[in-house]
Amino acid sequence: MDDRDPRGGDEVDAEEDRILLEDTGESLDSALAEEERSAIEAAEEKLRSVQGDLEELKERHLRKLAEFENLRKRSEREKAESRRMALADLAREFLPVVDSFEQALAHASSKDLEGDFGQGILLIHRQLSDLWRKHGLREVETAGGFDPNYHEAVSTQPSPEPPNTILDVLRKGYRIGDRLIRPALVKVAVRPGEAGQKPSESAD
């Protein structure tokens, strides 16, 4: 007796194969979706990594720019300071010439200065003064009270003026910016009976 399925073995095998194909189709969609999700997550992770690297490079670049800017400013400050020091040294050597020039002008008569020669001397003096001002050389202010940071008292005089008032400038002082080139030599007022005292020792 034949125990085979009357539907025939080939038909049973085909039906089983058809069911397997339907299950595999559902599994394929799921696998594709999972693969797509994994690909998206991997791409997002890669993007985050690239963005992190980019931010790090950006920060490093900004730090380098800041370091370069600081170096440039420091170099400019050092160059300016070196120039001021060289100018100050030159001014110290040149100022005695200026003193002699101004003393000569102070002792010249009005008649001497009215002629062509005198006018030429005044023009040279003005040009020299303009040149030094161009490079920052300024006279120390002496209008007002005595300031030991900028003035040197070489004599005192009893006076009705308030103590420490500058009465006379014996030699001009000069500065470049805040740098003192030389102090002004001055005569300072003291109270009657206090002559000979230093300005810092006189009572207010």
Side-chain angles (χ1 to χ4, degrees), residues 48-104:
R48 283 192 293 270
S49 176
V50 170
Q51 287 175 335
D53 292 343
L54 183 61
E55 286 298 321
E56 183 181 352
L57 287 173
K58 182 179 178 181
E59 289 178 6
R60 288 169 58 188
H61 178 66
L62 291 175
R63 282 197 298 270
K64 290 296 182 184
L65 283 179
E67 290 173 4
F68 176 78
E69 184 65 15
N70 291 336
L71 179 62
R72 184 185 65 81
K73 289 180 179 179
R74 184 167 60 251
S75 176
E76 288 179 356
R77 285 195 302 270
E78 291 173 353
K79 187 185 298 183
E81 180 62 20
S82 177
R83 179 180 177 277
R84 281 193 295 269
M85 290 179 65
L87 187 60
D89 291 341
L90 177 62
R92 288 189 189 95
E93 295 183 12
F94 187 78
L95 286 177
V97 179
V98 175
D99 294 337
S100 299
F101 205 147
E102 292 184 344
Q103 287 173 6

Side-chain angles (χ1 to χ4, degrees), residues 44-203:
E44 290 175 346
E45 181 63 27
K46 183 67 175 176
L47 180 60
R48 283 192 293 270
S49 176
V50 170
Q51 287 175 335
D53 292 343
L54 183 61
E55 286 298 321
E56 183 181 352
L57 287 173
K58 182 179 178 181
E59 289 178 6
R60 288 169 58 188
H61 178 66
L62 291 175
R63 282 197 298 270
K64 290 296 182 184
L65 283 179
E67 290 173 4
F68 176 78
E69 184 65 15
N70 291 336
L71 179 62
R72 184 185 65 81
K73 289 180 179 179
R74 184 167 60 251
S75 176
E76 288 179 356
R77 285 195 302 270
E78 291 173 353
K79 187 185 298 183
E81 180 62 20
S82 177
R83 179 180 177 277
R84 281 193 295 269
M85 290 179 65
L87 187 60
D89 291 341
L90 177 62
R92 288 189 189 95
E93 295 183 12
F94 187 78
L95 286 177
V97 179
V98 175
D99 294 337
S100 299
F101 205 147
E102 292 184 344
Q103 287 173 6
L105 289 176
H107 287 87
S109 66
S110 299
K111 184 178 178 180
D112 291 335
L113 296 177
E114 287 173 358
D116 291 342
F117 180 77
Q119 290 298 307
I121 294 298
L122 289 174
L123 176 61
I124 293 171
H125 180 262
R126 186 163 53 251
Q127 288 175 331
L128 285 173
S129 298
D130 291 344
L131 177 63
W132 279 111
R133 275 196 296 271
K134 176 182 176 183
H135 290 284
L137 187 70
R138 297 288 186 272
E139 288 184 21
V140 169
E141 292 291 336
T142 53
F146 176 82
D147 183 349
N149 294 312
Y150 293 100
H151 309 136
E152 182 178 339
V154 294
S155 66
T156 59
Q157 178 178 317
S159 172
E161 295 288 338
N164 292 338
T165 298
I166 294 175
L167 299 177
D168 192 15
V169 179
L170 307 178
R171 189 190 70 182
K172 292 180 179 179
Y174 292 90
R175 62 184 175 80
I176 296 178
D178 294 331
R179 181 187 295 274
L180 183 66
I181 303 303
R182 75 176 187 191
L185 302 184
V186 297
K187 180 187 291 184
V188 181
V190 294
R191 290 191 180 98
E194 295 179 347
Q197 286 188 353
K198 296 180 180 179
S200 59
E201 295 174 346
S202 61

